[in-house]
Amino acid sequence: MGILMLGEARPPKVLGRRRVLRGLERPSELFANLGPNWFATIMGTGVIATAGATLPTQFPALHAVATLFWAAASLLLILLAASTLVHWIRHRDTARSHHRHPVMAHFYGAPPMALLTVGAGTLLLGKDVLGERLALGIDAVLWALGTLLGLASAFAVPYLQFTRHQVTAADAFGGWLMPVVPPMVSASTGALLLPYLPAGDARTGMLMACYAMFGLSLLASLLIIPLVWQRLAVHKNLAAAAVPTLWIVLGPLGQSITAANLLGANAHFAVSGTLLHALEAFGVLYGVPVLGFALLWAALAAAITLRTARSGLPFSLAWWSFTFPVGTCVTGLSGLAAHTGLGAFKAMAAVGYVLLLGAWLVVAVRTFRGSVLEGTLFQGAGAVPAAAASTADA
């Protein structure tokens, strides 16, 4: 099977005396191989903002840090959106080839999640900077656009996989989840918009739509996760460069816990009585068992990552899988803490947030070096054999 262009760093070519983009013959080459996987940088940055804004324990410094990360994610979104437009204008053939690639195509789930994450951060944090009315307007636009693109990716990418992409069971990897997770993010962030909608059918319709997207994403994920488990059990080790994608499995798990609790917490704006009590209880009744599996998967992913790192874990954009999925688990823990008041959940959310910050720092520094300084992440976007992973022992 073909190789995935995920932005693996390669030794830089020293060209001239430029201090930035040293590995590129011309700075304009940075647009040549820009793929949808780059939007994972926005997801990983933005989730630090939303996770920080929803932690059970709040203090001024945390709010300031979260706001800075929201601003950084917003700036990245503007820059990447503009760069993607340039890529489509100047390198249309390359841009059109991404959906035909059996691995890169799955990362079309990243742009809608980036839009939704920045939108949520704008409502939670940006309102203190922009004012509530403008922040709400921006979030509404980003939510609508992200939801439409997310639903499109949830349909189009599996359709291409079912009808055109040549794959086998040995090609399964965490990235297969990327196109089906955006509707779950829409469900979570849509819950934040419920208080601002007109009372009546608008709120009830939004609540039901969010639960429908919750189910769409959850059931699709429950079909894909066993394929990843089977791939590991039967075909053994992934190629080293593909190992970070194991962490993507935490994405639908943590985000579904987040969605269940946010929808339950805001359901009173749309429904009442027995249905309200059932939806509030569902957040805990669903979230705690799924958290158990998420912790198991996190332990397995960490063990495999550490085992692989001993023999070499090449840097690529796939390392951003260490950020957003972990962030969804932090927001899920915060939701459980809010509904149960349990100190253990509060402590786990705080520890998870610290680990998230550490992971982001490592990945962001490596990405800055490989893109802005060396330019190697823009050279053919690199090659990661994620879907044709080796079965040889690491």
Side-chain angles (χ1 to χ4, degrees):
M1 185 175 177
I3 54 177
L4 168 62
M5 308 232 168
L6 272 181
E8 182 179 1
R10 291 184 284 180
K13 297 182 292 183
V14 179
L15 300 173
R17 295 186 176 183
R18 284 201 308 266
R19 293 181 180 274
V20 297
L21 301 175
R22 294 190 295 262
L24 302 181
E25 292 183 5
R26 298 181 303 276
S28 61
E29 288 183 2
L30 68 89
F31 301 108
N33 300 288
L34 203 66
N37 51 319
W38 273 94
F39 283 83
T41 62
I42 302 170
M43 295 164 55
T45 302
V47 78
I48 294 182
T50 55
T54 56
L55 278 177
T57 302
Q58 292 290 314
F59 48 92
L62 174 61
H63 183 82
V65 168
T67 302
L68 285 174
F69 274 95
W70 161 73
S74 300
L75 178 60
L76 279 174
L77 179 60
I78 294 171
L79 292 175
L80 269 176
S83 298
T84 299
L85 179 61
V86 173
H87 172 68
W88 272 88
I89 294 173
R90 294 186 180 179
H91 308 280
R92 188 167 299 179
D93 290 341
T94 301
R96 287 178 172 176
S97 70
H98 290 156
H99 76 277
R100 295 192 295 269
H101 196 285
V103 182
M104 178 62 87
H106 293 279
F107 290 87
Y108 273 110
M113 286 191 280
L115 292 169
L116 294 164
T117 302
V118 171
T122 303
L123 187 59
L124 291 170
L125 299 159
K127 63 183 179 183
D128 296 332
V129 179
L130 306 172
E132 186 174 71
R133 184 174 180 179
L134 179 57
L136 177 60
I138 293 173
D139 184 30
V141 171
L142 293 180
W143 186 87
L145 183 57
T147 297
L148 289 174
L149 291 176
L151 290 172
S153 76
F155 166 77
V157 177
Y159 175 78
L160 290 171
Q161 186 177 32
F162 297 165
T163 59
R164 298 186 183 182
H165 297 162
Q166 298 298 314
V167 296
T168 68
D171 299 320
F173 78 118
W176 282 12
L177 290 161
M178 288 290 290
V180 301
V181 175
M184 187 69 78
V185 183
S186 290
S188 301
T189 53
L192 300 176
L193 289 170
L194 278 173
Y196 300 96
L197 293 174
D201 288 349
R203 289 181 178 177
T204 305
M206 176 64 132
L207 181 66
M208 295 300 111
C210 288
Y211 273 110
M213 290 187 287
F214 172 92
L216 181 162
S217 184
L218 176 63
L219 294 177
S221 298
L222 291 179
L223 292 172
I224 296 170
I225 292 173
L227 298 178
V228 180
W229 186 290
Q230 181 189 41
R231 187 258 172 269
L232 292 172
V234 176
H235 301 283
K236 305 307 175 187
N237 300 315
L238 288 168
V243 166
T245 65
L246 290 176
W247 292 83
I248 296 177
V249 174
L250 293 178
L253 300 176
Q255 195 67 55
S256 65
I257 300 172
T258 303
N261 282 277
L262 277 176
L263 288 170
N266 290 282
H268 67 276
F269 290 107
V271 296
S272 60
T274 302
L275 179 57
L276 172 60
H277 297 314
L279 295 180
E280 290 174 338
F282 177 71
V284 176
L285 296 177
Y286 169 85
V288 174
V290 174
L291 175 63
F293 180 73
L295 293 173
L296 170 63
W297 188 270
L300 289 170
I304 294 172
T305 301
L306 291 173
R307 181 175 184 267
T308 305
R310 288 200 294 268
S311 56
L313 187 64
F315 177 74
S316 73
L317 290 178
W319 278 37
W320 283 95
S321 303
F322 297 139
T323 58
F324 186 80
V326 175
T328 67
C329 292
V330 174
T331 56
L333 284 163
S334 296
L336 289 174
H339 274 91
T340 65
L342 194 61
F345 288 145
K346 295 179 181 179
M348 291 171 68
V351 171
Y353 192 68
V354 172
L355 293 175
L356 174 62
L357 285 170
W360 181 90
L361 181 62
V362 171
V363 179
V365 169
R366 295 292 299 270
T367 301
F368 181 80
R369 187 176 73 183
S371 57
V372 175
L373 298 182
E374 298 172 355
T376 51
L377 290 175
F378 299 115
Q379 292 177 347
V384 179
S390 172
T391 58
D393 288 338

